[in-house]
Amino acid sequence: MAAPSIKFKTNYAVTRKIEAFYKGGKVQINSDGTYILCTCGNKLNILDIATGAVTYTIEQDDQEDITSFALSPDDEILVTGSRALLLKQWDWKQGTCSRTWKAIHTAPVATMTFDPTSTLLATGGCDSTIKIWDVIKQYCTHNLKGSSGVVHLVQFHPDMSRLQLFSSSMDYKIRLWDLKTSKCLCVMETHFSAVTSLCFSPDGNTMISSGRDKICTMWDLETKSPKRTVPVYESVEAVVLFPDSSDIICQENDSQSLLFLTAGSKGILRVWDAATAVCVYGQTLPHIAEGNSTEEEANEHSLTHCLLIPGQHQVATITAEHNILMYDLQNLQLKKQFAGYNDEVLDVKFLGPSDSHIVVATNSPQLKVFDLETSNCQILYGHTETVLALDVFKKGLLFASCAKDRTIRVWRMKKATGKVTCVAQGSGHTNGVGTISCSRMKEAFLVSGSQDYTIKLWKLPESLANKQSKGNSGDLETLLACATEKAHDKDINSVTVSPNDKLIASGSQDKTAKLWLATDLSLLGVFRGHKRGIWCVQFSNVDQVLASTSADGTLKLWGLQDFSCLKTFEGHDASVLKVVFVSRGAQLLTSGSDGLLKLWTIKTNECVKTLDTHEDKVWGLHCNREDDALVTGSADSAIILWKDVTETELAEEQAKEDEAILKQQELSNLLHEKRFLKALGLAISLDQPHTVLTVVKAILQEPHGKDDLEKNIERLRQDQKESILRYCCVWNTNSRNCHEAQSVLSIILTHEPPESLLQFSGIRGSLESLIPYTERHMQRMGRLLQASMFVDFMWQHMRLTDLPEEDKAPGSIATKSAPVAEKNKIPSVQG
């Protein structure tokens, strides 16, 4: 009965794209702490820290990867270096390149930095040289030689009156250069591995260096000798000196001591007292256990950069997995996270009562939960191997995940804060768990399918279902499988629960789908018909129908009563990976391994729309509760949010039709009133060549048509003349309209100087299309002229047979023919 009110969908539009903005390399924060600049291949992305959105993108024209960049301390000048051995200066807010020059280095630039005055730029190259540039006067001031190997670190002394530059290369030594003499003042040696960062005390007399040899060294810059070596027992990637403030951790009581922060392979921030070489504070993170924070085990958590965020009392760290984490300097508590790179997206689902978040399984053991409003990303630790699939319970706060580590986990999101914690864990499969599905009506049970060919039913304890986001979930509930069944002969790719929680369907690589009773996993029937493995099965939420997608490129609908195939949809040229029912079960959405999404209408077997935005396999596909949006995740690491724009497009189309009707009526009125100039302008604005032709014909039918046409065309704007010349090309292709086309063309060529005509866009194409047809019309006119002259010639030389006068009786044919002939004589074409 509700069928007539179903609104069929016709199109979806991209509303947002969450994709990689950082894939490793240098990161810099601007002077007021509002933007993060980070490299991503041949692009430099500039991220707004407040919103998490990429607001500016700098892209190299030559498609070469950016090897290094630097933003001046006054935020005015951005310089990038690429593998093409070119340096480019950018107006970064406009995205325009203001200057390009050769780097003179014989190998790519590995690092660069500005001096505190934003005047000098130092570049360290892979050719063991350092060059210093005056970016204001635009010339190279110094060429410093003497380093060995790649120069990967250059830094000016903060006091520019000293004119000193520090550098480090692959010989693990720090060199101090005097820019007045271009000579190396001294070589500082204490490190036995690469020096990763340098920082200076406020008075400029103390420098701290960090290295991958697990030590930090304090240097006295007056004597140029090491004051103290601090063993930090981890490979240090960055060292940061705290600003002088009592609001900072460990500085509340003793604000005189020199404290510095280290970030490295252990994945935690630690505060050290430079005077005593003692660690005064170390972060404790839940996913890094105290005993397990060895360099090898915590490699994925290790930190690669650490930067102070100016003016915000925060510090930003970047992990080896390209996540950007921001901590408050007062207590080193996490404030915000951004995911720079998602790798291959294996599954994605809407989360939260109002679908305010999405949870994403990427090619890693961690789950990512994105707040769609702020782009803040929570990283969920728990699984030890790649997470393969996700599913969300009806209320949207509880969801489940399964992974290659043979376990399943249940997670709960706090409604008030949006924070997600793991509340339960289940194990029992003997191989990776590739698919999971939640009960639809209540938070009662889970079903999982594994590469061990079994499906398991897991009851959720009532304590878990009734626990409404209580914070103390320190100890996890243990889930136990209440039923296990060897379901298939090959890997199980998909399981799903029916809307009434009574049935379970499974799809496998063995080309079959099976139907099971949800209470005890007893087999009800088998669906056979696919020629290759089945990737996804899904119940209709309205009819007793099951949809299945397969690697054979087809989508099939099966009846649950007799297990017969009701319909087959063909259209994908590659494996169909996912399917969901939309429009209250009347339509289907599928995703393929070729990156295409297709919208199908079940009744007509017709593919209504194909959406081509992803570039690789679309593993994740999920619709929201309102059925007006969907989210997709692909192996191209992009997550795309789509919105149903059917009603919007219909409304726009209707508005366009109404506007066109009104304009057509207005045009008719103008023609009737003989207001030709306005009629011509209106017809051109409609961009309808035939309508403009109608107006031109109406003008030419007037007594002084040609003069009127000339006056009206002369009064048109330049862009309107351009349009009418383009229309002439269309009219000129038809001999019926060639006279009007030639009249308009004659007027434009007569009144427009060549310089003005050359300014027209597409003038070359217009002339190329006008010339051959005009030549053809001329040839036709020439042939007509010849034919008419021949008729005239024949007529002039026609003579009547001479007859005697008496034989020419009145009324005879001979006597009548002369006046008739004289009357009907064809005028000469030449005349």
Side-chain angles (χ1 to χ4, degrees), residues 428-429 433 435-436 446-458 481-488 490-496 503-508 514-518 520-523:
H429 283 289
V433 189
T435 176
I436 195 162
L446 295 165
V447 60
S448 62
S450 167
Q451 293 165 1
D452 61 10
Y453 315 150
T454 66
I455 55 174
K456 285 181 183 286
L457 192 66
W458 312 77
C482 58
T484 301
E485 191 69 39
K486 184 182 181 297
H488 292 273
K490 288 188 179 178
D491 294 359
I492 297 168
N493 291 330
S494 177
V495 290
T496 184
L503 301 172
I504 291 168
S506 63
S508 165
K514 294 185 179 181
L515 192 67
W516 312 83
L517 202 60
D520 57 357
L521 293 184
S522 54
L523 182 64

Side-chain angles (χ1 to χ4, degrees), residues 775-787:
E775 285 175 349
R776 196 180 296 176
H777 298 322
M778 285 297 293
Q779 287 166 6
R780 196 176 66 252
M781 292 297 287
R783 289 196 299 271
L784 181 64
L785 188 64
Q786 284 176 6

Side-chain angles (χ1 to χ4, degrees), residues 761-824:
S761 64
I763 184 70
R764 184 188 179 91
S766 299
L767 289 175
E768 283 176 354
S769 62
L770 279 167
I771 289 166
Y773 282 102
T774 303
E775 285 175 349
R776 196 180 296 176
H777 298 322
M778 285 297 293
Q779 287 166 6
R780 196 176 66 252
M781 292 297 287
R783 289 196 299 271
L784 181 64
L785 188 64
Q786 284 176 6
S788 61
M789 286 177 72
F790 179 71
V791 170
D792 188 42
F793 174 79
M794 291 296 292
W795 185 256
Q796 294 289 352
H797 291 79
M798 281 175 71
R799 291 287 182 271
L800 294 173
T801 308
D802 290 326
L803 291 173
E805 284 296 326
E806 60 272 24
D807 292 344
K808 293 178 184 177
S812 70
I813 295 172
T815 55
K816 286 180 183 177
S817 62
V820 171
E822 193 66 37
K823 185 180 174 184
N824 294 334

Side-chain angles (χ1 to χ4, degrees), residues 178-211:
D178 184 354
L179 300 184
K180 294 171 188 170
T181 62
S182 295
K183 289 182 178 175
C184 179
L185 290 179
C186 70
V187 178
M188 305 156 114
E189 298 183 51
T190 56
H191 291 282
F192 296 97
S193 188
V195 178
T196 51
S197 70
L198 304 173
C199 64
F200 299 88
S201 63
D203 62 6
N205 292 327
T206 304
M207 179 179 79
I208 302 174
S209 63
S210 67

Side-chain angles (χ1 to χ4, degrees), residues 380-491:
L380 309 181
Y381 296 91
H383 286 288
T384 56
E385 289 188 55
T386 304
V387 179
L388 297 174
L390 303 161
D391 201 17
V392 183
F393 284 94
K394 189 176 180 179
K395 291 180 182 175
L397 292 173
L398 206 65
F399 68 96
S401 62
C402 61
K404 279 185 180 178
D405 61 9
R406 309 176 187 181
T407 66
I408 66 167
R409 282 179 178 258
V410 180
W411 310 78
R412 185 184 291 282
M413 185 169 84
K414 284 188 183 178
K415 194 172 182 179
T417 61
K419 190 179 177 185
V420 179
T421 50
C422 184
V423 291
Q425 179 183 6
S427 57
H429 283 289
T430 59
N431 210 328
V433 189
T435 176
I436 195 162
S437 185
C438 301
S439 53
R440 301 294 174 218
M441 297 181 77
K442 294 180 180 177
E443 296 171 349
F445 65 88
L446 295 165
V447 60
S448 62
S450 167
Q451 293 165 1
D452 61 10
Y453 315 150
T454 66
I455 55 174
K456 285 181 183 286
L457 192 66
W458 312 77
K459 291 282 186 202
L460 256 63
E462 284 189 24
S463 59
L464 188 66
N466 298 331
K467 194 192 295 178
Q468 291 301 316
S469 304
K470 289 178 186 171
N472 49 357
S473 55
D475 46 334
L476 298 181
E477 294 267 6
T478 301
L479 300 180
L480 298 172
C482 58
T484 301
E485 191 69 39
K486 184 182 181 297
H488 292 273
D489 299 327
K490 288 188 179 178
D491 294 359

Side-chain angles (χ1 to χ4, degrees), residues 86-99:
L86 294 174
L87 295 175
K88 289 179 184 254
Q89 185 175 318
W90 301 84
D91 179 353
W92 58 278
K93 289 191 176 175
Q94 303 299 322
T96 55
C97 179
S98 55
R99 180 174 159 236

